[in-house]
Amino acid sequence: MKSNVIIKRSVDTAMYILFLLLMGQCVLRGTVHEWLGIATGILFLAHNALNNKWYRTLLKGKYNAMRMVQLIVNVLLLSAMIICMVSGILVSQHIFAIGSGSAIEFGRHLHLVATAWAFILMSIHLGLHWSIFSAG
């Protein structure tokens, strides 16, 4: 197996595991949750950098139904993850601690909704690419 494939799969696996851990926020609270969120955000950025070929081919080729579905899922997932990261920073009470009052309350609701959608979309994204993982 090529080293870049090993790196991609390692980043993807670590990101998914961290995301699962973050979904159990009642278990991992406070600073730990925030640091794991930062690590997940970094892995998400790394995932996008490692898969930059996708961005370069957006305007190339024909769009069949499957490619259109993947595009929609990817754009929605990218949006949800960006909202997760931004709202996470806004509601941070330990590492960034920049929000206050009603902004934190709004940020919490936004963060909760964005993470739920990100998890759903990440699962769909993984399912659409499952052949990559099962191919060996």
Side-chain angles (χ1 to χ4, degrees):
M1 190 179 301
K2 292 181 179 180
S3 63
N4 68 335
V5 172
I6 293 170
I7 292 169
K8 283 182 179 184
R9 288 187 182 173
S10 298
V11 166
D12 294 347
T13 302
M15 180 172 48
Y16 195 73
I17 290 169
L18 286 178
F19 205 86
L20 287 174
L21 290 171
L22 287 165
M23 293 299 280
Q25 198 251 346
C26 59
V27 177
L28 300 171
R29 296 180 160 259
T31 306
V32 173
H33 183 82
E34 291 182 20
W35 279 115
L36 290 178
I38 291 168
T40 303
I42 290 168
L43 289 171
F44 177 75
L45 296 173
H47 171 85
N48 280 275
L50 290 168
N51 293 285
N52 64 19
K53 180 183 175 190
W54 181 80
Y55 291 100
R56 292 192 314 251
T57 61
L58 276 175
L59 300 176
K60 297 179 182 174
K62 295 183 179 183
Y63 274 82
N64 59 22
M66 181 55 108
R67 188 173 180 199
M68 188 61 81
V69 167
Q70 288 178 329
L71 174 66
I72 292 168
V73 168
N74 289 348
V75 168
L76 290 173
L77 178 56
L78 176 66
S79 301
M81 289 299 290
I82 289 170
I83 293 169
C84 284
M85 290 185 275
V86 171
S87 63
I89 291 168
L90 292 175
V91 300
S92 168
Q93 294 181 356
H94 302 281
I95 297 171
F96 298 104
I98 60 173
S100 64
S102 61
I104 288 179
E105 193 60 32
F106 173 74
R108 280 190 182 135
H109 291 294
L110 186 62
H111 193 66
L112 183 63
V113 170
T115 54
W117 275 108
F119 189 73
I120 291 166
L121 292 163
M122 187 186 310
S123 298
I124 295 169
H125 177 79
L126 182 60
L128 290 171
H129 295 287
W130 190 252
S131 62
I132 295 169
F133 293 96
S134 63

